Amino acid sequence: MVHSDSNPPLLDHFGTLLLRHSTRCDEPQGRVTMEECQLPLIDLCGLRSGDETVRRACAAAICKASSEWGFFQVVNHGISPRLVERMRTEQVKLFQSPFETKAKSGLLNNSYRWGSPRATCTNQFSWSEAFHVLLTNVSDEACYGEFTSLREVMTCFAAAMSELSRLLARILIENLGHGKQALIDNICDETTCFLRLNHYPACPISPEITGLVPHTDSDFLTILCQDQVGGLQLMKDSKWVTVKPNKDALIVNIGDLFQAWSNDVYKSVEHRVVTNATTERYSIAYFLCPYYDSSIESLVKPSIYRRFTFREYRDQVQEDVRKTGYKVGLPRFLLKGSDDNTRLHAPSITASS
């Protein structure tokens, strides 16, 4: 079927899935949605203070939020509002182009994705589209086609997000007390990290369809720049918490690899995006990832996880998703006898919201 509008054929895909699998997959019971709330808010001006006490207090707030919430938001983060606005304008222009252009013209090195190709039932379906772009391709002029103005903005935005992610990662490592702050710079560069441009079209057919299904991120940490529509939710104390948008803040969340590195000091928390019946939503996520053959080993001993490589982790996640439709993640890498308080079967998407 040819679709003349810009949105992908999500309704067709969902309808086909519904016909093939009329029942929903099993989900944990007893999870209810809480009221909208504010994530821990951290002013990064404190990190630039000449007062060591102020700097330490800011760093401590970052680490506390990473431990207690797995999520926090930052202001005065060094990424200019002008750059954010330019990036958002170019992103909207990109997603408003015809679906066929996005799907078949090789834009951003064929990084376009939509829906959930591996979904085996309706509650694994994501009502969204995205460009998942490796940073090495961000500056490649050949990737942009007619969207030439996107290249300069995206290159600047990726560089700024990269710098901020490394600053936060070094603080989190320093807090673990092993003097290995440079470790993150040694195993992460533009050949391993990603930008993901997300678009969530309005979904008038059912409030039960998610824009992005519940998941944890398979990286060290993620930085999210979102609009003011809202829809991001995270799991807190076995309840879904709706994140209140803050126009001046970026959202940061811990990924699976940092949870393993910290031996569960920091938490990689399940999150999702709910759909909006009338309003579309845009967001941009930066993923801090290591080389595929980097060894992931807990910096805090005794470790509850065995040593593994990022490649091994990704392969295991993909195998689980292929076989069951679900990501299992870190519980697969627990050492024998470790106490697993983590839900074994988590839904399958591993990209951020």
Side-chain angles (χ1 to χ4, degrees):
M1 181 183 295
V2 176
H3 294 259
S4 59
D5 63 352
S6 62
N7 289 335
L10 293 164
L11 186 58
D12 291 352
H13 188 188
F14 181 79
T16 300
L17 192 62
L18 192 62
L19 288 173
R20 290 177 180 174
H21 307 278
S22 59
T23 59
R24 294 172 61 83
C25 302
D26 292 338
E27 289 184 323
Q29 301 299 312
R31 296 189 172 193
V32 297
T33 302
M34 292 176 63
E35 296 293 326
E36 186 176 59
C37 79
Q38 192 87 12
L39 288 176
L41 181 64
I42 300 169
D43 188 340
L44 295 187
C45 275
L47 296 179
R48 300 186 289 274
S49 173
D51 187 329
E52 182 63 17
T53 301
V54 173
R55 197 202 78 82
R56 287 183 178 275
C58 184
I62 292 169
C63 298
K64 180 180 180 183
S66 299
S67 178
E68 295 181 357
W69 283 77
F71 272 78
F72 56 95
Q73 44 189 350
V74 294
V75 293
N76 292 315
H77 40 68
I79 301 177
S80 76
R82 170 63 177 160
L83 178 57
V84 171
E85 187 58 36
R86 288 175 61 205
M87 185 67 230
R88 185 168 293 146
T89 298
E90 294 295 337
Q91 178 185 12
V92 171
K93 188 189 306 181
L94 175 66
F95 279 111
Q96 287 182 346
S97 62
F99 169 66
E100 296 294 334
T101 299
K102 292 178 289 189
K104 296 184 178 180
S105 64
L107 281 173
L108 298 176
N109 201 35
N110 294 304
S111 61
Y112 180 65
R113 306 288 184 270
W114 62 274
S116 304
R118 293 178 178 173
T120 58
C121 55
T122 55
N123 62 326
Q124 293 173 4
F125 183 80
S126 292
W127 190 273
S128 57
E129 59 178 334
F131 286 90
H132 195 78
V133 189
L134 186 65
L135 289 200
T136 49
N137 295 322
V138 166
S139 59
D140 184 356
E141 189 172 354
C143 291
Y144 289 85
E146 65 189 87
F147 299 93
T148 54
S149 57
L150 175 61
R151 178 173 174 265
E152 178 187 355
V153 179
M154 197 164 168
T155 300
C156 293
F157 188 82
M161 294 287 263
S162 177
E163 182 178 351
L164 177 59
S165 71
R166 282 160 172 74
L167 170 65
L168 296 171
R170 286 192 291 268
I171 288 168
L172 291 167
I173 295 170
E174 180 181 10
N175 180 60
L176 299 177
H178 291 269
K180 296 183 178 180
Q181 293 90 317
L183 181 60
I184 202 74
D185 297 310
N186 294 335
I187 65 173
C188 299
D189 66 15
E190 65 177 11
T191 66
T192 65
C193 301
F194 292 84
L195 270 183
R196 183 178 174 96
L197 312 182
N198 298 307
H199 175 224
Y200 303 91
C203 180
I205 63 172
S206 174
E208 294 185 354
I209 301 175
T210 53
L212 198 60
V213 299
H215 65 282
T216 59
D217 291 347
S218 300
D219 61 354
F220 284 121
L221 59 80
T222 305
I223 303 178
L224 180 71
C225 177
Q226 63 170 346
D227 61 20
Q228 298 305 294
V229 174
L232 175 63
Q233 296 183 340
L234 62 94
M235 186 60 64
K236 175 68 171 169
D237 299 327
S238 298
K239 298 177 182 178
W240 285 113
V241 175
T242 300
V243 177
K244 183 177 181 179
N246 181 331
K247 65 181 180 62
D248 299 316
L250 298 175
I251 292 175
V252 182
N253 67 275
I254 299 299
D256 297 343
L257 302 186
F258 233 133
Q259 178 168 327
W261 249 9
S262 71
N263 214 29
D264 283 3
V265 172
Y266 308 134
K267 302 300 190 296
S268 180
V269 173
E270 191 177 17
H271 51 286
R272 68 183 183 184
V273 176
V274 295
T275 53
N276 189 299
T278 60
T279 308
E280 61 186 348
R281 175 181 183 264
Y282 292 92
S283 70
I284 309 169
Y286 175 89
F287 299 90
L288 182 64
C289 301
Y291 299 116
Y292 287 136
D293 293 323
S294 298
S295 179
I296 307 301
E297 181 179 7
S298 297
L299 302 178
V300 179
K301 306 298 183 183
S303 176
I304 63 173
Y305 299 104
R306 67 174 178 84
R307 182 187 301 179
F308 57 89
T309 66
F310 185 40
R311 186 186 304 278
E312 184 181 1
Y313 191 77
R314 282 173 52 90
D315 288 349
Q316 182 64 61
V317 167
Q318 290 171 4
E319 181 181 352
D320 287 334
V321 171
R322 185 169 56 252
K323 288 182 176 179
T324 69
Y326 291 106
K327 171 187 175 180
V328 178
L330 283 177
R332 288 286 194 206
F333 297 86
L334 286 163
L335 288 168
K336 187 176 181 180
S338 296
D339 180 24
D340 177 19
N341 293 317
T342 307
R343 183 163 60 93
L344 182 59
H345 292 293
S348 59
I349 303 299
T350 57
S352 183
S353 49

